[in-house]
Amino acid sequence: MPPEASGTRRYAFLLIPGYSQLGFACALEALSLANLHPSGQRFYDWRLIGETGDPVPAYNGVTTAVDSALTDLDRSETLVVCAGNEAARGSTRPVLNWLRRETRKGMDFGALSSGTYTLALAGLLSGKRVTTHWEYRDALIELLPDVIIESSLFSVDGRVFTTAGGAASMDMMLDRIRAEFGTDLATWVADQMVYTDPRAATHGQRLSRRTRPGMAHGKLGIALQIMENNLEDPLRPEEIAQVIELSTRQLERLFAKHLGVSPKRHYLQLRLEKARGLLRQTSMSVTDICVACGFRSLSHFSKSYRGTFGQSPGQEKRGTGSIWPT
């Protein structure tokens, strides 16, 4: 174990209604298994907290009993905010005030999945490098310009840690176990979880297009990455072809062979998918989303959106409702 590792580390999990049960379970199970180590040492204690003290429902409807309502924490505890697709609704004024007050004590604190947004609403992430689930990333980038949003599985910036949630919570917690009690314990816990290859923080959240079936052609992978990196100011197919040293016709053949669509159509689909996420997850206006996704006119945006998703951007926003507050 590291020389500084001694005693029992304590964690406090704040459950926000609609939290990801998978992400929470992966994090908690790693701590639970550590306590089964043959040494007999109890490495971790924890408590579960909800705003009111009532059982808290996950997004799938399963409820978890908590130990208490919002309560005083000790500086030695590590605070973890667990949230999901209803983060804003559960980020109430009492919760945000409680987070500000408790984190001022100097403890380590972090978030699973969209719990990153809850911490940002509390004003605790300004200038920090953080991550969140890929589905919420575009929304956070648009809404939180002073926060550095990464695409990694998890991020650590000083005493702040964040993760994409889901199975990535396991990777992050194994990394914390390693830092707190050493590699041997972290490896033992990974073996108990039958998790033979824990991933580093820098590992991407989504399966790279280059590794998917039919995506082995190197230049196609580069073209796809160029598109994904330039959604707000899209390039013309001929410009992409020039960058990867192909003719426009060769680029079109690559897309037709491996994706069954033209480069132009695939690029449009990427931009529309980003728009759909922003419509569903932010309070941004349709006009602002139109610009953020590289459309030069509202009429073109609306026509393309309706043709793909069967309803206008305005209908999408009115029908779904924003999970983020205005």
Side-chain angles (χ1 to χ4, degrees), residues 20-287:
S20 165
Q21 192 173 49
L22 174 61
F24 168 61
C26 285
L28 184 60
E29 191 68 2
L31 302 185
S32 303
L33 286 170
N35 288 342
L36 298 180
H37 189 268
S39 67
Q41 178 175 343
R42 186 170 183 83
F43 293 96
Y44 292 102
D45 281 327
W46 56 85
R47 54 175 161 168
L48 309 184
I49 298 171
E51 180 180 358
T52 65
D54 294 329
V56 182
Y59 82 94
N60 58 7
V62 175
T63 59
T64 299
V66 298
D67 299 301
S68 72
L70 301 178
T71 186
D72 290 341
L73 301 181
D74 188 88
R75 185 181 185 278
S76 64
E77 291 182 272
T78 297
L79 172 61
V80 185
V81 179
C82 308
N85 61 2
E86 297 182 1
R89 190 172 301 142
S91 300
T92 62
R93 182 169 296 179
V95 166
L96 299 181
N97 288 339
W98 179 79
L99 287 170
R100 295 183 190 107
R101 182 181 74 242
E102 296 304 317
T103 55
R104 279 198 293 266
K105 296 175 179 177
M107 65 183 63
D108 284 358
F109 63 93
L112 310 182
S113 190
S114 63
T116 301
Y117 186 74
T118 300
L119 292 177
L121 280 180
L124 302 176
L125 299 182
S126 181
K128 293 291 186 181
R129 292 181 297 105
V130 303
T131 193
T132 189
H133 189 281
W134 62 265
E135 193 172 20
Y136 307 128
R137 184 174 181 272
D138 286 335
L140 291 183
I141 288 174
E142 296 293 337
L143 294 170
L144 306 171
D146 61 336
V147 178
I148 304 166
I149 311 293
E150 300 182 328
S151 298
S152 54
L153 287 183
F154 61 94
S155 295
V156 181
D157 191 341
R159 63 191 180 104
V160 177
F161 57 91
T162 51
T163 179
S169 298
M170 187 160 48
D171 297 285
M172 182 193 73
M173 202 56 74
L174 287 170
D175 186 72
R176 292 192 64 80
I177 292 172
R178 179 197 56 76
E180 293 170 347
F181 290 105
T183 301
D184 287 348
L185 179 61
T187 300
W188 188 88
V189 171
D191 286 344
Q192 294 300 306
M193 301 175 94
V194 198
Y195 195 41
T196 56
D197 191 18
R199 300 167 294 178
T202 53
H203 197 288
Q205 292 185 25
R206 304 175 73 180
L207 184 63
S208 170
R209 292 183 185 272
R210 299 186 194 185
T211 63
R212 296 179 189 179
M215 298 294 179
H217 195 291
K219 293 197 173 184
L220 175 60
I222 296 172
L224 292 169
Q225 195 62 57
I226 290 172
M227 290 179 177
E228 291 175 357
N229 292 343
N230 294 275
L231 297 179
E232 186 170 350
D233 189 15
L235 304 175
R236 298 190 306 276
E238 54 267 32
E239 292 177 308
I240 297 173
Q242 184 177 12
V243 171
I244 62 176
E245 299 180 341
L246 291 177
S247 69
T248 303
R249 178 163 292 187
Q250 286 174 316
L251 181 67
E252 290 173 346
R253 287 172 179 166
L254 270 181
F255 272 76
K257 178 180 179 180
H258 295 292
L259 298 178
V261 295
S262 68
K264 185 176 181 180
R265 178 62 208 177
H266 182 77
Y267 208 170
L268 176 63
Q269 185 67 31
L270 290 177
R271 291 156 57 207
L272 290 171
E273 287 174 358
K274 176 181 178 179
R276 193 180 200 185
L278 294 178
L279 287 165
R280 291 180 167 187
Q281 299 165 7
T282 77
S283 58
M284 293 171 64
S285 69
V286 171
T287 300

